[in-house]
Amino acid sequence: MIISCQNVQKYHGAQLVLKDITFDIREGEKIGLIGRNGCGKTTLFRLLSGEERPDQGQISIRRGSVTGLLAQIQEAGTEETVYAVLQRSFAEPLSWQSRLRELEQQMSSSDAANDGPAWNRLLKEYGSLQEKFEAAGGYEIDASIQRVAAGLGIAVSQYERGFASLSGGEKTKVGLAELLLRRPDVLLLDEPTNHLDMEAIEWLEQYLLAYEGTVLAISHDRYFLDAVVKKVVEIEDGEAITYHTNYSGYQVEKEARLLQQFADYQEQQKKIKQMQESIKRLIEWGNRSNPPNPSFHRRAASMQKALDRMVKIKRPILERKAMDLQLQQEDRTGNQAVILDRISKSYGSRTLFSGASDILRYGETAALIGGNGAGKSTLLRMILGQETPDSGSCTLGSRAAVGYLAQEAVPEDGKLSVLRYFREEAGMEEGEARGQLARFLFYGSDVFKTVANLSGGEWTRLRFAVLMHRRPNLLILDEPTNHLDIDSREALEEALEEFAGTVLAVSHDRYFINRCFGKLWSIEGGRFHAFNGNYEYYKEKQAERAASGTPADNRNSPGGKSTQPKATAPAAIPRKQRSAAAWEQDIAAAEEQLRRIDAAMLAPAIASDAVKLAELQLSRDSAQTELDELYTAWMNEAER
């Protein structure tokens, strides 16, 4: 056992944040700490790192264990460079190295050479220090820094930059590198995948899997949790519940636990009600007797004591309130929602991408991926008309109404309250606005918070509230899941699955991409690639290409066909060149088939046969899909 928390309680002012936290951590375990934003996860980290002390309960950390905390806000001296921050982990070996240089100078002086005893003392100290320096990996300091910095995407060109000049995300990345280089016994990582691109996240996953120490990570990145952790601790209602599994296993186990707890709760409530009725009857019987019978009262009192001693099962909350995001469009776009036609963009001698071509059709969902600085946000700005490509063109389809969620876009007037900001953006009366904000988890006094003081998750929820009100048919989202907790991410995913319009999103959230997107646009190595498929398919193709040594190109879709047709040419869709009568005939036949299946399912002989009903349902799903495809193709043809 390396960490033990027993009945830990913590207040912030008058607010009870952690009510009864109890769990144990063994040496070498990889643990995910999850829970809604504001549930007390970061507070628990501050307690574990020793920054704060619990108000009640006890936290025990094995004597001699070194704990390292990755804070969300990184600090450094005003004059410190990035490389100096990375070297902090090697402060002691570097001090030895400095002393070795001094000793070398002293030993080379003529005075030391002529003084035998003094020279021998210097030589002895030099040998001892050199041995310690070598054992501490002193000769590998630069190589270790380079390995970790490169893995996390910190370029050599940043080494001499002042740490204070970095953005918040860049500071967090450097802070993470410094912490990993320190190699403490216990790593406390608060949202470690924020600000990392996919390549860096995957490198971090492999690093942590091989890490010999203990890892406790606060994370809403479900893919990361599945890849790294073998134990999940959830903070809920101020208490800790432990699941000995990864995130996917946690989901299954939690549902089973809640259902069992609800069944136990109902059973206990039934028993409590029976005992209460029995107590009431015993008292009535005792009072009716003439004279009153004290034995009935004694039995009632005994039963009441047993009821009072009973450990009450808390009624579980089977479904907690989440962001109520419902995305609807005012009108649909034409068949072609976004058209990229051989666009290129460079900054100085650096080419972000060239010859990027593809068509995003109405109803399609595409995720735009690539390393930090690859040009993803630049491409979004071109699509929005905020930036001009060096060559080629980027066009939005007819009737396109864009809903844009920028990354970290804070309004100029941060002093506005949540309520006033929303009213100004949505043009609503106060009562209606407060009702809408409640759907996005802004209750009571929350609506009077200033926008500048909102957390990242609150600010994203507020912008989604505005976006929903505008009813766009083309959503362009830049890192929409950043700062959202898992419940809000799932609410967003469900909303996108129901959304009939077109979605283009920049994201590093692989779980989100796998669930919601059927196409990937990738910018890597100065080239643009399009893939039909989700993130898993993309990784599969990348692995195949790496194994075969084939250079990246634009022919990575299923069947080896290019997914980047020239925007000026229509896509080759079967049955396009047909008369309206032919289309209507096919649609009528498909509708008739659906009607026959529906009639068969209502027949008394079938309605009672589960096997036949299941077979007919499969046939109906297939027929419905065919009809939907016919309607889509017919409308597409009519718009050409």
Side-chain angles (χ1 to χ4, degrees):
M1 199 77 67
I2 195 165
I3 295 176
S4 178
C5 293
Q6 298 297 321
N7 309 111
V8 170
Q9 196 173 93
K10 183 66 180 177
Y11 283 87
H12 281 170
Q15 182 186 3
L16 180 61
V17 179
L18 300 175
K19 183 169 64 177
D20 184 16
I21 300 295
T22 299
F23 64 87
D24 295 319
I25 298 175
R26 297 186 178 278
E27 185 177 4
E29 283 190 316
K30 309 294 189 290
I31 298 168
L33 184 61
I34 66 173
R36 289 187 158 205
N37 287 341
C39 73
K41 302 185 297 296
T42 301
T43 299
L44 179 57
F45 262 27
R46 287 198 290 267
L47 294 174
L48 292 173
S49 67
E51 289 183 19
E52 295 184 15
R53 296 182 63 82
D55 296 319
Q56 285 186 30
Q58 187 175 16
I59 295 177
S60 303
I61 299 178
R62 192 172 63 194
R63 184 175 298 173
S65 297
V66 177
T67 300
L69 169 65
L70 172 68
Q72 289 186 342
I73 300 174
Q74 299 292 317
E75 296 179 359
T78 53
E79 302 301 321
E80 241 180 327
T81 65
V82 167
Y83 201 75
V85 172
L86 295 174
Q87 284 182 314
R88 285 178 185 171
S89 309
F90 305 100
E92 193 170 34
L94 287 171
S95 70
W96 297 337
Q97 186 182 49
S98 178
R99 177 58 180 161
L100 285 171
R101 298 292 172 267
E102 291 176 7
L103 290 170
E104 287 169 0
Q105 288 181 352
Q106 291 176 23
M107 291 164 66
S108 64
S109 70
S110 58
D111 291 342
N114 295 328
D115 186 345
W119 196 89
N120 286 334
R121 282 196 305 271
L122 292 173
L123 182 62
K124 185 177 179 181
E125 183 184 356
Y126 187 89
S128 175
L129 268 182
Q130 189 178 43
E131 190 175 317
K132 287 167 66 176
F133 182 73
E134 187 173 353
Y139 292 111
E140 299 169 4
I141 289 176
D142 290 338
S144 297
I145 290 175
Q146 175 59 26
R147 183 175 66 253
V148 172
L152 293 176
I154 302 169
V156 174
S157 59
Q158 284 191 307
Y159 285 178
E160 297 308 315
R161 279 186 65 184
F163 184 82
S165 71
L166 300 180
S167 67
E170 289 170 331
K171 286 179 179 177
T172 301
K173 197 187 296 185
V174 173
L176 174 58
E178 186 269 330
L179 181 59
L180 296 181
L181 287 164
R182 205 187 316 159
R183 299 189 67 82
D185 301 304
V186 181
L187 270 175
L188 301 175
L189 304 177
D190 195 348
E191 291 289 358
T193 60
N194 274 8
H195 312 294
L196 298 183
D197 58 31
M198 283 180 180
E199 189 175 348
I201 293 171
E202 289 173 354
W203 179 90
L204 178 62
E205 288 169 352
Q206 295 305 311
Y207 184 93
L208 294 178
L209 285 171
Y211 193 71
E212 294 177 358
T214 303
V215 178
L216 183 57
I218 295 173
S219 183
H220 300 306
D221 186 329
R222 294 154 291 177
Y223 205 103
F224 171 82
L225 291 170
D226 265 347
V228 174
V229 311
K230 297 295 182 288
K231 184 172 173 180
V232 172
V233 176
E234 181 179 30
I235 306 297
E236 192 169 68
D237 300 327
E239 298 177 357
I241 304 122
T242 300
Y243 300 85
H244 294 273
T245 178
N246 62 6
Y247 179 77
S248 293
Y250 147 81
Q251 287 182 298
V252 175
E253 285 189 20
K254 181 176 182 181
E255 184 177 4
R257 182 184 67 80
L258 285 176
L259 292 174
Q260 184 59 53
Q261 186 181 343
F262 188 68
D264 293 343
Y265 169 81
Q266 288 182 310
E267 186 63 31
Q268 188 183 64
Q269 288 299 305
K270 184 179 176 182
K271 185 176 181 180
I272 289 171
K273 188 175 181 182
Q274 290 171 345
M275 290 176 72
Q276 289 171 337
E277 289 175 352
S278 296
I279 291 167
K280 185 179 178 182
R281 282 198 302 271
L282 286 167
I283 293 172
E284 287 177 354
W285 290 344
N287 291 338
R288 278 184 203 164
S289 302
N290 193 11
N293 189 335
S295 65
F296 284 120
H297 290 154
R298 283 197 296 272
R299 287 170 61 189
S302 176
M303 193 174 288
Q304 183 64 53
K305 284 182 180 177
L307 182 59
D308 292 340
R309 286 195 301 269
M310 183 185 292
V311 178
K312 305 298 191 297
I313 298 172
K314 186 169 66 173
R315 181 188 177 97
I317 301 173
L318 298 180
E319 192 170 348
R320 294 180 180 267
K321 287 184 178 178
M323 176 175 69
D324 184 17
L325 178 61
Q326 296 179 16
L327 296 167
Q328 297 177 336
Q329 55 184 356
E330 196 71 47
D331 185 19
R332 61 158 285 171
T333 66
N335 179 46
Q336 298 178 343
V338 179
I339 305 156
L340 306 182
D341 187 7
R342 293 164 290 187
I343 64 172
S344 301
K345 188 66 180 179
S346 298
Y347 287 111
S349 60
R350 181 170 172 245
T351 300
L352 294 181
F353 45 81
S354 60
S357 297
D358 198 24
I359 298 173
L360 187 60
R361 300 182 181 280
Y362 173 74
E364 284 188 323
T365 54
L368 177 56
I369 65 173
N372 290 336
K376 303 184 299 297
S377 295
T378 300
L379 181 56
L380 289 193
R381 288 196 296 272
M382 290 179 187
I383 292 170
L384 292 164
Q386 298 173 358
E387 194 160 335
T388 305
D390 296 337
S391 62
S393 64
C394 181
T395 312
L396 296 182
S398 60
R399 303 187 301 280
V402 176
Y404 177 47
L405 188 82
Q407 187 179 174
E408 314 288 349
V410 180
E412 292 180 7
D413 189 356
K415 295 180 181 178
L416 288 177
S417 69
V418 168
L419 180 60
R420 185 172 174 187
Y421 175 82
F422 182 69
R423 286 186 61 191
E424 288 184 4
E425 292 292 323
M428 274 185 197
E429 293 297 324
E430 182 172 332
E432 185 183 1
R434 293 190 71 155
Q436 289 296 313
L437 287 169
R439 295 174 61 180
F440 289 83
L441 311 183
F442 292 101
Y443 304 111
S445 60
D446 290 344
V447 302
F448 300 115
K449 284 184 180 178
T450 60
V451 171
N453 289 326
L454 293 180
S455 68
E458 289 171 326
W459 174 231
T460 299
R461 281 191 274 114
L462 177 57
R463 290 184 295 152
F464 269 122
V466 173
L467 201 62
M468 185 178 84
H469 174 75
R470 290 177 177 166
R471 300 168 67 90
N473 52 32
L474 171 58
L475 287 174
I476 297 180
L477 312 174
D478 196 351
E479 296 288 1
T481 60
N482 264 12
H483 308 296
L484 291 181
D485 58 27
I486 291 174
D487 287 345
S488 293
R489 291 182 188 210
E490 290 178 345
L492 171 60
E493 288 161 358
E494 288 167 9
L496 291 180
E497 286 176 338
E498 295 295 322
F499 182 56
T502 310
V503 184
L504 173 62
V506 170
S507 183
H508 295 139
D509 186 334
R510 295 157 294 173
Y511 196 103
F512 172 62
I513 293 171
N514 274 336
R515 179 171 176 183
C516 294
F517 296 88
K519 173 180 273 193
L520 260 69
W521 284 354
S522 167
I523 300 175
E524 53 182 321
R527 300 189 66 189
F528 175 91
H529 315 281
F531 299 80
N532 284 333
N534 62 10
Y535 179 74
E536 294 300 333
Y537 174 78
Y538 164 78
K539 290 299 292 180
E540 181 186 323
K541 285 296 171 187
Q542 294 290 84
E544 287 177 8
R545 193 175 68 207
S548 65
T550 306
D553 59 25
N554 295 333
R555 286 170 284 282
N556 290 299
S557 62
K561 295 179 182 177
S562 171
T563 58
Q564 296 191 79
K566 288 186 179 179
T568 52
I573 299 176
R575 301 183 293 192
K576 281 295 180 187
Q577 305 302 322
R578 309 181 66 207
S579 66
W583 282 112
E584 290 165 5
Q585 185 177 351
D586 280 358
I587 289 169
E591 288 175 337
E592 179 58 31
Q593 185 182 3
L594 265 181
R595 279 195 290 270
R596 285 198 301 269
I597 295 171
D598 287 340
M601 292 176 78
L602 293 172
I606 300 295
S608 59
D609 189 329
V611 175
K612 288 184 178 177
L613 269 177
E615 291 175 353
L616 282 171
Q617 184 61 51
L618 287 173
S619 299
R620 192 189 190 287
D621 291 344
S622 177
Q624 183 66 59
T625 300
E626 172 65 17
L627 180 60
D628 291 343
E629 289 176 354
L630 284 168
Y631 270 123
T632 301
W634 181 39
M635 286 190 291
N636 291 346
E637 179 64 17
E639 288 179 354
R640 289 185 179 277

